[in-house]
Amino acid sequence: TVAYYYRFEAPEGQRKDAITKDDLLHACRLDDWDRPKKPEQTLVNAQHAGLLDKGSERGTYIINSVGENLVAMTLPELNK
């Protein structure tokens, strides 16, 4: 959901195609979610699950169509 937010829902000046572990941690702080103990592993796991693709720079990840569809199906209020 963090990658989806930054790609499609964030204000124009804050949008980005790729996210990092720092973006994940920042989103957790803003929304008062539990922070993952190993945020980089969380992103690797999402990539291995087929939800994110590796970005062009080390440690960056891009949401792919599978991840986009999962967010759209799970959180339909985003698509109103």
Side-chain angles (χ1 to χ4, degrees), residues 7-60:
R7 183 123 188 227
F8 302 108
E9 301 293 329
E12 281 297 324
Q14 296 176 18
R15 289 188 184 180
K16 51 177 87 178
D17 289 332
I19 64 165
T20 66
K21 67 177 183 168
D22 293 330
D23 296 316
L24 178 59
L25 289 172
H26 181 68
C28 290
R29 279 192 292 275
L30 289 176
D31 211 17
D32 200 26
W33 294 339
D34 291 336
R35 291 180 201 117
K37 291 182 192 256
K38 296 182 178 180
E40 59 282 339
Q41 189 61 50
T42 299
L43 294 170
V44 169
N45 292 347
Q47 189 254 327
H48 287 172
L51 305 173
L52 300 175
D53 293 329
K54 287 184 180 182
S56 60
E57 296 180 31
R58 183 180 174 98
T60 62

